[in-house]
Coordinates of all heavy atoms in Angstrom, one line a residue:
M1 N 137.5 72.5 148.1 CA 138.2 71.4 147.4 C 138.6 71.8 146.1 O 137.9 72.5 145.3 CB 137.2 70.2 147.3 CG 137.9 68.9 147.3 SD 136.6 67.6 147.2 CE 137.1 66.8 145.7
A2 N 139.8 71.4 145.7 CA 140.4 71.8 144.4 C 139.8 70.9 143.3 O 139.6 69.7 143.5 CB 141.9 71.7 144.4
C3 N 139.6 71.5 142.2 CA 139.1 70.8 141.0 C 140.1 69.7 140.6 O 141.3 69.9 140.6 CB 139.0 71.8 139.9 SG 138.6 71.0 138.3
D4 N 139.6 68.5 140.3 CA 140.5 67.4 139.9 C 140.3 66.9 138.5 O 140.6 65.8 138.1 CB 140.4 66.3 140.9 CG 139.0 65.6 141.0 OD1 138.1 66.2 140.3 OD2 138.8 64.7 141.7
K5 N 139.6 67.8 137.7 CA 139.3 67.4 136.3 C 140.6 67.6 135.5 O 141.5 68.4 135.8 CB 138.2 68.3 135.7 CG 136.8 67.9 136.3 CD 135.8 68.8 135.6 CE 134.4 68.6 136.3 NZ 133.6 69.7 136.1
N6 N 140.7 66.9 134.4 CA 141.8 67.1 133.4 C 141.4 68.3 132.5 O 140.6 68.1 131.6 CB 142.0 65.8 132.6 CG 143.2 66.0 131.7 OD1 143.8 67.0 131.6 ND2 143.4 64.9 130.9
H7 N 142.1 69.4 132.7 CA 141.9 70.6 131.8 C 143.0 70.8 130.9 O 143.2 71.9 130.4 CB 141.7 71.8 132.7 CG 140.4 71.8 133.5 ND1 139.2 71.6 133.0 CD2 140.2 72.0 134.8 CE1 138.3 71.7 133.9 NE2 138.9 71.9 135.1
S8 N 143.8 69.8 130.6 CA 145.0 70.0 129.8 C 144.6 70.5 128.4 O 145.4 71.2 127.7 CB 145.8 68.7 129.7 OG 145.1 67.7 129.2
G9 N 143.4 70.1 127.9 CA 143.0 70.5 126.6 C 142.7 72.0 126.5 O 142.5 72.6 125.4
L10 N 142.6 72.7 127.6 CA 142.2 74.1 127.6 C 143.4 75.0 128.0 O 143.2 76.2 128.2 CB 141.1 74.3 128.7 CG 139.7 73.7 128.4 CD1 138.8 73.9 129.5 CD2 139.1 74.2 127.1
K11 N 144.6 74.4 128.0 CA 145.7 75.2 128.4 C 146.0 76.4 127.7 O 146.2 77.5 128.2 CB 147.0 74.2 128.3 CG 148.1 74.7 129.1 CD 149.3 73.7 129.2 CE 150.4 74.2 129.9 NZ 151.6 73.3 129.9
A12 N 145.8 76.4 126.3 CA 146.1 77.6 125.5 C 145.1 78.6 125.8 O 145.4 79.8 125.9 CB 146.1 77.2 124.0
I13 N 143.8 78.2 125.9 CA 142.8 79.2 126.2 C 143.0 79.8 127.6 O 142.9 81.0 127.7 CB 141.4 78.5 126.1 CG1 141.1 78.2 124.6 CG2 140.3 79.4 126.7 CD1 139.8 77.3 124.5
M14 N 143.3 79.0 128.5 CA 143.5 79.5 129.9 C 144.7 80.5 129.9 O 144.6 81.5 130.6 CB 143.8 78.4 130.9 CG 142.6 77.5 131.2 SD 141.2 78.4 131.9 CE 140.0 78.3 130.6
S15 N 145.7 80.2 129.2 CA 146.9 81.1 129.2 C 146.6 82.4 128.6 O 147.2 83.4 128.9 CB 148.0 80.4 128.4 OG 148.5 79.3 129.0
S16 N 145.5 82.5 127.7 CA 145.2 83.7 127.1 C 144.3 84.6 128.0 O 144.1 85.8 127.7 CB 144.5 83.5 125.8 OG 143.1 83.0 126.0
L17 N 143.7 84.1 129.0 CA 142.8 84.8 129.9 C 143.5 85.8 130.8 O 144.6 85.5 131.2 CB 142.0 83.9 130.7 CG 141.0 83.0 130.0 CD1 140.3 82.0 131.0 CD2 139.9 83.8 129.3
P18 N 142.9 86.9 131.2 CA 143.4 87.8 132.1 C 143.4 87.2 133.5 O 142.5 86.4 133.8 CB 142.6 89.1 132.0 CG 141.2 88.5 131.6 CD 141.6 87.4 130.7
T19 N 144.2 87.7 134.4 CA 144.2 87.3 135.8 C 143.1 88.0 136.5 O 142.8 89.1 136.3 CB 145.6 87.7 136.5 OG1 146.6 87.0 135.8 CG2 145.6 87.3 137.9
D20 N 142.4 87.2 137.4 CA 141.3 87.8 138.2 C 142.0 88.7 139.2 O 143.0 88.4 139.8 CB 140.6 86.7 138.9 CG 139.3 87.2 139.5 OD1 139.3 87.8 140.6 OD2 138.2 87.1 138.8
Q21 N 141.3 89.9 139.3 CA 141.9 90.9 140.2 C 141.5 90.8 141.6 O 141.9 91.6 142.5 CB 141.6 92.3 139.7 CG 142.2 92.6 138.3 CD 143.7 92.5 138.3 OE1 144.4 93.1 139.1 NE2 144.2 91.6 137.5
G22 N 140.8 89.8 142.0 CA 140.4 89.6 143.3 C 138.9 89.4 143.4 O 138.2 89.4 142.4
G23 N 138.4 89.1 144.6 CA 137.0 88.9 144.8 C 136.7 87.4 144.8 O 137.6 86.6 144.8
V24 N 135.4 87.1 144.6 CA 134.9 85.8 144.7 C 135.5 84.8 143.7 O 135.6 83.6 143.9 CB 133.4 85.8 144.7 CG1 132.8 86.1 143.4 CG2 132.8 84.4 145.2
G25 N 135.9 85.3 142.5 CA 136.3 84.5 141.4 C 137.7 84.0 141.5 O 138.0 83.0 140.8
R26 N 138.5 84.7 142.2 CA 140.0 84.5 142.1 C 140.4 83.0 142.3 O 141.4 82.6 141.7 CB 140.7 85.4 143.0 CG 142.2 85.4 142.9 CD 142.9 86.5 143.6 NE 144.3 86.4 143.8 CZ 145.2 86.7 142.8 NH1 144.8 87.1 141.7 NH2 146.5 86.5 143.0
H27 N 139.8 82.4 143.3 CA 140.3 81.0 143.6 C 139.3 79.9 143.0 O 139.5 78.8 143.4 CB 140.4 80.9 145.1 CG 141.4 81.8 145.7 ND1 142.8 81.6 145.4 CD2 141.3 82.9 146.4 CE1 143.4 82.6 146.0 NE2 142.6 83.4 146.6
K28 N 138.5 80.3 142.1 CA 137.6 79.3 141.5 C 138.3 78.8 140.2 O 139.1 79.5 139.6 CB 136.2 80.0 141.1 CG 135.4 80.4 142.3 CD 134.9 79.2 143.1 CE 134.0 79.7 144.2 NZ 133.3 78.6 144.9
C29 N 137.8 77.6 139.8 CA 138.4 77.0 138.6 C 137.9 77.7 137.3 O 136.8 77.5 136.9 CB 138.2 75.5 138.6 SG 138.9 74.7 137.2
A30 N 138.8 78.4 136.7 CA 138.4 79.1 135.4 C 138.2 78.2 134.3 O 137.4 78.5 133.4 CB 139.5 80.2 135.1
A31 N 138.8 77.0 134.3 CA 138.6 76.1 133.2 C 137.2 75.5 133.3 O 136.5 75.3 132.3 CB 139.7 75.0 133.3
C32 N 136.8 75.2 134.5 CA 135.4 74.7 134.7 C 134.4 75.8 134.3 O 133.4 75.5 133.8 CB 135.2 74.3 136.2 SG 135.9 72.7 136.6
A33 N 134.7 77.1 134.6 CA 133.9 78.2 134.2 C 133.8 78.3 132.7 O 132.7 78.5 132.2 CB 134.4 79.5 134.8
Y34 N 134.9 78.0 132.0 CA 134.9 78.0 130.6 C 134.0 76.9 130.0 O 133.1 77.2 129.2 CB 136.3 77.8 130.0 CG 136.3 77.7 128.5 CD1 136.4 78.8 127.7 CD2 136.3 76.4 127.9 CE1 136.4 78.7 126.3 CE2 136.3 76.3 126.5 CZ 136.3 77.4 125.7 OH 136.3 77.3 124.4
E35 N 134.1 75.7 130.6 CA 133.3 74.6 130.1 C 131.8 74.8 130.4 O 130.9 74.5 129.6 CB 133.7 73.3 130.8 CG 135.1 72.9 130.3 CD 135.6 71.6 131.0 OE1 135.0 71.2 132.1 OE2 136.6 71.1 130.6
A36 N 131.5 75.5 131.5 CA 130.1 75.8 131.8 C 129.5 76.8 130.9 O 128.4 76.8 130.4 CB 129.9 76.3 133.3
G37 N 130.4 77.8 130.6 CA 130.0 78.8 129.6 C 129.8 78.3 128.2 O 128.8 78.6 127.5
Y38 N 130.6 77.4 127.9 CA 130.5 76.7 126.5 C 129.2 75.9 126.5 O 128.5 76.1 125.5 CB 131.7 75.8 126.3 CG 131.8 75.2 124.9 CD1 132.5 75.8 123.9 CD2 131.1 74.0 124.6 CE1 132.6 75.3 122.7 CE2 131.1 73.5 123.4 CZ 131.9 74.1 122.4 OH 131.9 73.5 121.1
H39 N 128.9 75.2 127.5 CA 127.7 74.4 127.5 C 126.5 75.4 127.5 O 125.5 75.1 126.7 CB 127.7 73.6 128.8 CG 126.4 72.9 129.1 ND1 126.0 71.8 128.3 CD2 125.4 73.1 130.0 CE1 124.8 71.4 128.8 NE2 124.4 72.1 129.8
A40 N 126.5 76.5 128.2 CA 125.4 77.4 128.2 C 125.2 78.0 126.8 O 124.1 78.2 126.4 CB 125.6 78.5 129.3
G41 N 126.3 78.3 126.2 CA 126.2 78.9 124.8 C 125.8 77.9 123.8 O 125.0 78.2 122.9
Y42 N 126.3 76.7 123.9 CA 126.0 75.7 122.9 C 124.5 75.3 123.0 O 123.9 75.1 122.0 CB 126.9 74.5 123.0 CG 126.9 73.6 121.9 CD1 127.7 73.8 120.7 CD2 126.0 72.5 121.8 CE1 127.6 72.9 119.6 CE2 125.9 71.7 120.7 CZ 126.7 71.9 119.7 OH 126.6 71.0 118.6
D43 N 124.1 75.1 124.2 CA 122.7 74.6 124.4 C 121.7 75.7 124.6 O 120.5 75.5 124.7 CB 122.7 73.7 125.6 CG 123.5 72.4 125.4 OD1 123.6 72.0 124.2 OD2 124.1 71.9 126.4
I44 N 122.2 77.0 124.6 CA 121.3 78.1 124.9 C 120.5 77.8 126.2 O 119.3 77.8 126.2 CB 120.4 78.5 123.7 CG1 121.3 78.7 122.5 CG2 119.8 79.9 124.0 CD1 122.3 79.8 122.5
D45 N 121.2 77.5 127.2 CA 120.6 77.2 128.5 C 120.6 78.5 129.3 O 121.6 78.9 129.9 CB 121.4 76.1 129.2 CG 120.7 75.7 130.5 OD1 119.8 76.4 131.0 OD2 121.2 74.7 131.1
G46 N 119.4 79.1 129.3 CA 119.3 80.4 130.0 C 119.4 80.3 131.5 O 119.6 81.3 132.2
T47 N 119.3 79.1 132.1 CA 119.4 79.0 133.5 C 120.9 79.0 134.0 O 121.1 79.1 135.2 CB 118.8 77.7 134.0 OG1 119.6 76.6 133.5 CG2 117.4 77.5 133.5
L48 N 121.8 78.8 133.0 CA 123.2 78.8 133.4 C 123.8 80.2 133.3 O 124.3 80.6 132.2 CB 124.0 77.9 132.5 CG 124.1 76.4 132.9 CD1 124.8 75.6 131.9 CD2 124.7 76.3 134.3
S49 N 123.8 81.0 134.4 CA 124.4 82.3 134.3 C 125.7 82.2 135.1 O 125.9 81.3 135.9 CB 123.5 83.3 135.0 OG 123.5 83.1 136.4
I50 N 126.6 83.2 134.9 CA 127.9 83.2 135.6 C 127.7 83.1 137.1 O 128.4 82.5 137.8 CB 128.8 84.3 135.1 CG1 130.1 84.3 135.8 CG2 128.1 85.7 135.3 CD1 131.0 83.1 135.6
D51 N 126.6 83.8 137.6 CA 126.5 83.9 139.0 C 126.1 82.5 139.6 O 126.7 82.1 140.7 CB 125.3 84.9 139.4 CG 125.8 86.3 139.1 OD1 127.0 86.6 139.3 OD2 124.9 87.1 138.8
N52 N 125.2 81.7 139.0 CA 124.9 80.5 139.6 C 125.9 79.4 139.2 O 126.0 78.3 139.9 CB 123.5 80.0 139.3 CG 123.1 79.9 137.9 OD1 124.0 79.5 137.1 ND2 121.9 80.2 137.5
V53 N 126.8 79.7 138.2 CA 127.9 78.7 137.9 C 129.0 79.0 139.0 O 129.5 78.0 139.5 CB 128.4 79.0 136.5 CG1 129.8 78.3 136.3 CG2 127.4 78.4 135.5
L54 N 129.3 80.2 139.2 CA 130.5 80.6 140.0 C 130.4 80.0 141.4 O 131.3 79.5 142.0 CB 130.6 82.1 140.1 CG 131.9 82.7 140.5 CD1 133.0 82.2 139.6 CD2 131.8 84.2 140.5
I55 N 129.2 80.0 142.0 CA 129.0 79.6 143.3 C 129.2 78.1 143.5 O 129.6 77.6 144.6 CB 127.5 80.0 143.8 CG1 127.5 80.1 145.3 CG2 126.5 79.1 143.3 CD1 126.3 80.9 145.8
N56 N 129.0 77.3 142.4 CA 129.2 75.9 142.5 C 130.5 75.4 142.0 O 130.8 74.2 142.0 CB 128.1 75.2 141.7 CG 126.7 75.4 142.3 OD1 126.6 75.2 143.5 ND2 125.7 75.8 141.5
L57 N 131.4 76.3 141.6 CA 132.7 75.9 141.0 C 133.6 75.4 142.1 O 133.6 75.9 143.2 CB 133.4 77.1 140.3 CG 132.9 77.5 138.9 CD1 133.7 78.6 138.4 CD2 132.9 76.3 138.0
E58 N 134.5 74.4 141.7 CA 135.5 74.0 142.6 C 136.6 75.0 142.7 O 136.7 75.9 141.8 CB 136.1 72.6 142.1 CG 135.1 71.5 141.9 CD 134.8 70.9 143.3 OE1 135.2 71.4 144.3 OE2 134.0 69.9 143.3
E59 N 137.5 74.9 143.7 CA 138.7 75.8 143.7 C 139.6 75.4 142.6 O 139.6 74.3 142.1 CB 139.4 75.6 145.1 CG 138.5 75.8 146.3 CD 138.2 77.2 146.5 OE1 139.1 78.0 146.5 OE2 137.0 77.6 146.7
S60 N 140.4 76.4 142.2 CA 141.3 76.2 141.1 C 142.4 75.3 141.5 O 142.8 75.2 142.6 CB 141.8 77.5 140.5 OG 142.5 78.2 141.5
Q61 N 142.9 74.5 140.5 CA 144.0 73.7 140.6 C 145.3 74.4 140.1 O 145.1 75.4 139.5 CB 143.8 72.4 139.9 CG 143.5 72.6 138.4 CD 143.1 71.3 137.6 OE1 143.9 70.8 136.9 NE2 141.9 70.9 137.9
A62 N 146.4 73.9 140.4 CA 147.6 74.4 139.8 C 147.6 74.3 138.3 O 147.0 73.4 137.8 CB 148.9 73.8 140.4
G63 N 148.2 75.2 137.6 CA 148.3 75.1 136.1 C 147.9 76.4 135.5 O 147.8 77.4 136.1
A64 N 147.6 76.3 134.2 CA 147.4 77.5 133.4 C 146.1 78.3 133.8 O 146.1 79.5 133.6 CB 147.2 77.1 131.9
Q65 N 145.2 77.6 134.5 CA 143.9 78.3 134.9 C 144.0 78.9 136.2 O 143.1 79.6 136.7 CB 142.8 77.3 134.8 CG 142.9 76.1 135.8 CD 143.6 74.9 135.1 OE1 144.2 75.1 134.1 NE2 143.6 73.8 135.8
R66 N 145.1 78.8 136.9 CA 145.3 79.3 138.3 C 145.2 80.8 138.3 O 145.9 81.5 137.6 CB 146.6 78.9 138.9 CG 146.7 79.3 140.3 CD 147.7 78.3 141.1 NE 147.8 78.6 142.5 CZ 147.0 78.2 143.4 NH1 145.9 77.5 143.1 NH2 147.2 78.5 144.7
H67 N 144.3 81.3 139.1 CA 144.0 82.8 139.3 C 143.6 83.5 138.0 O 143.6 84.7 137.9 CB 145.3 83.5 139.8 CG 145.6 83.1 141.2 ND1 146.8 83.4 141.9 CD2 144.9 82.4 142.2 CE1 146.8 82.9 143.1 NE2 145.6 82.3 143.3
K68 N 143.1 82.7 137.0 CA 142.5 83.4 135.9 C 141.1 83.7 136.2 O 140.4 83.1 137.0 CB 142.6 82.4 134.7 CG 144.0 82.1 134.2 CD 144.7 83.3 133.7 CE 146.1 82.9 133.2 NZ 146.7 84.1 132.6
S69 N 140.6 84.7 135.4 CA 139.2 85.2 135.7 C 138.2 84.3 135.2 O 138.0 84.0 134.0 CB 139.1 86.6 134.9 OG 137.7 86.9 134.9
P70 N 137.4 83.7 136.1 CA 136.3 82.8 135.7 C 135.2 83.5 135.0 O 134.5 82.9 134.2 CB 135.8 82.2 137.0 CG 136.2 83.2 138.1 CD 137.4 83.8 137.6
H71 N 135.0 84.8 135.2 CA 134.0 85.6 134.5 C 134.4 85.6 133.0 O 133.5 85.4 132.1 CB 133.9 87.0 135.1 CG 133.4 87.0 136.5 ND1 134.2 86.9 137.6 CD2 132.1 87.1 137.0 CE1 133.5 86.9 138.7 NE2 132.2 87.1 138.4
T72 N 135.6 86.0 132.8 CA 136.1 86.0 131.4 C 136.0 84.6 130.7 O 135.7 84.5 129.6 CB 137.5 86.5 131.3 OG1 137.6 87.7 132.1 CG2 138.0 86.8 129.9
A73 N 136.4 83.6 131.5 CA 136.4 82.2 131.0 C 135.0 81.8 130.6 O 134.8 81.2 129.6 CB 137.0 81.3 132.1
F74 N 134.0 82.2 131.5 CA 132.6 81.8 131.2 C 132.2 82.5 129.9 O 131.5 81.9 129.0 CB 131.7 82.2 132.4 CG 130.3 81.8 132.2 CD1 129.9 80.6 132.6 CD2 129.4 82.7 131.7 CE1 128.5 80.2 132.4 CE2 128.0 82.3 131.5 CZ 127.6 81.1 131.9
A75 N 132.5 83.8 129.8 CA 132.1 84.6 128.6 C 132.7 84.0 127.3 O 132.0 83.9 126.3 CB 132.4 86.1 128.8
L76 N 134.0 83.7 127.4 CA 134.7 83.2 126.2 C 134.1 81.8 125.9 O 133.9 81.5 124.7 CB 136.2 83.1 126.5 CG 137.0 82.6 125.3 CD1 136.9 83.5 124.1 CD2 138.5 82.4 125.8
G77 N 133.8 81.0 126.9 CA 133.2 79.7 126.6 C 131.9 79.8 126.0 O 131.5 79.1 125.1
Y78 N 131.1 80.8 126.5 CA 129.8 81.0 126.0 C 129.9 81.4 124.5 O 129.1 80.9 123.6 CB 129.1 82.1 126.8 CG 127.6 82.3 126.4 CD1 126.6 81.6 127.2 CD2 127.2 83.1 125.4 CE1 125.3 81.7 126.9 CE2 125.8 83.2 125.1 CZ 124.9 82.6 125.9 OH 123.6 82.7 125.6
Y79 N 130.8 82.3 124.2 CA 131.0 82.8 122.8 C 131.4 81.6 121.9 O 130.8 81.4 120.9 CB 132.1 83.8 122.8 CG 132.5 84.2 121.4 CD1 131.8 85.2 120.7 CD2 133.7 83.7 120.9 CE1 132.2 85.5 119.4 CE2 134.1 84.0 119.6 CZ 133.4 85.0 118.9 OH 133.8 85.3 117.6
N80 N 132.3 80.8 122.4 CA 132.7 79.7 121.6 C 131.6 78.6 121.4 O 131.5 78.0 120.4 CB 134.0 79.0 122.2 CG 135.2 79.9 121.9 OD1 135.3 80.7 121.0 ND2 136.2 79.7 122.7
G81 N 130.8 78.4 122.4 CA 129.7 77.5 122.4 C 128.7 77.9 121.4 O 128.2 77.1 120.6
V82 N 128.3 79.2 121.4 CA 127.3 79.7 120.4 C 127.9 79.6 119.0 O 127.2 79.2 118.1 CB 127.0 81.2 120.7 CG1 126.2 81.8 119.6 CG2 126.2 81.3 122.0
R83 N 129.2 79.9 118.8 CA 129.8 79.9 117.5 C 129.8 78.4 117.0 O 129.5 78.2 115.8 CB 131.2 80.4 117.6 CG 131.8 80.8 116.3 CD 133.1 81.5 116.4 NE 134.0 80.6 117.2 CZ 135.3 80.9 117.3 NH1 135.9 81.9 116.7 NH2 136.1 80.0 117.9
Q84 N 130.2 77.5 117.9 CA 130.2 76.1 117.4 C 128.8 75.5 117.1 O 128.7 74.8 116.1 CB 130.8 75.2 118.6 CG 131.1 73.8 118.1 CD 132.1 73.7 116.9 OE1 133.2 74.3 117.0 NE2 131.7 73.0 115.9
R85 N 127.8 75.9 117.8 CA 126.5 75.5 117.6 C 126.0 76.0 116.2 O 125.4 75.3 115.4 CB 125.5 76.0 118.6 CG 124.1 75.4 118.5 CD 123.2 75.8 119.6 NE 123.1 77.3 119.7 CZ 122.2 78.0 118.9 NH1 121.4 77.4 118.1 NH2 122.2 79.3 119.0
T86 N 126.4 77.3 115.9 CA 126.1 77.9 114.6 C 126.7 77.1 113.5 O 126.1 76.8 112.4 CB 126.5 79.3 114.5 OG1 126.0 80.0 115.6 CG2 126.1 80.0 113.2
I87 N 127.9 76.6 113.7 CA 128.6 75.8 112.7 C 128.0 74.5 112.5 O 127.7 74.0 111.4 CB 130.1 75.6 113.1 CG1 130.9 77.0 113.0 CG2 130.8 74.6 112.2 CD1 132.2 77.0 113.7
D88 N 127.6 73.8 113.7 CA 127.1 72.5 113.7 C 125.6 72.5 113.1 O 125.2 71.5 112.5 CB 127.0 71.9 115.1 CG 128.4 71.6 115.6 OD1 129.4 71.6 114.8 OD2 128.5 71.3 116.8
D89 N 124.9 73.6 113.2 CA 123.6 73.7 112.7 C 123.5 73.9 111.2 O 122.5 73.6 110.5 CB 122.8 74.9 113.3 CG 122.4 74.5 114.7 OD1 122.5 73.3 115.1 OD2 121.9 75.4 115.5
N90 N 124.7 74.3 110.6 CA 124.7 74.5 109.1 C 125.4 73.4 108.4 O 125.8 72.4 108.9 CB 125.4 75.8 108.8 CG 124.6 77.0 109.3 OD1 123.4 77.0 109.1 ND2 125.2 77.9 109.9
Ligands
ZN1 ZN1 138.1 72.7 136.9

């Protein structure tokens, strides 16, 4: 089933990501992967790894996130989540 969330706020970030070269991630929603990574980084939730996130992701929808690498999206989301938490804590 294709993801039906509104990811319009992530368009610029999605456009900056590399295309997934194939494998299990190619048809998963990279925008959802980004949000899961951000959550994992912000909350330092060690149970949220890319592997257990990827398996539960919806299929990608048309738009900027189509065929983008969910692995990269998760990592970038994680990075931004940690960075934002650091800002919010100070
Ligand atoms: Zn999505």
Side-chain angles (χ1 to χ4, degrees):
M1 206 178 122
C3 172
D4 61 359
K5 290 183 187 155
N6 179 2
H7 292 308
S8 58
L10 295 175
K11 197 171 177 183
I13 289 171
M14 289 300 114
S15 296
S16 75
L17 293 176
T19 301
D20 193 277
Q21 293 304 303
V24 68
R26 184 168 168 82
H27 297 291
K28 296 291 188 172
C29 182
C32 283
Y34 175 86
E35 289 176 351
Y38 186 93
H39 174 71
Y42 192 87
D43 297 328
I44 310 296
D45 183 348
T47 65
L48 273 178
S49 72
I50 181 60
D51 289 328
N52 59 32
V53 164
L54 200 58
I55 204 164
N56 291 313
L57 286 180
E58 301 284 5
E59 303 287 311
S60 60
Q61 55 188 255
Q65 60 274 10
R66 186 154 182 82
H67 291 170
K68 295 298 185 173
S69 167
H71 295 85
T72 310
F74 184 87
L76 181 62
Y78 191 93
Y79 172 81
N80 285 338
V82 169
R83 199 174 55 169
Q84 188 61 49
R85 188 179 57 85
T86 304
I87 292 167
D88 290 350
D89 283 351
N90 290 318

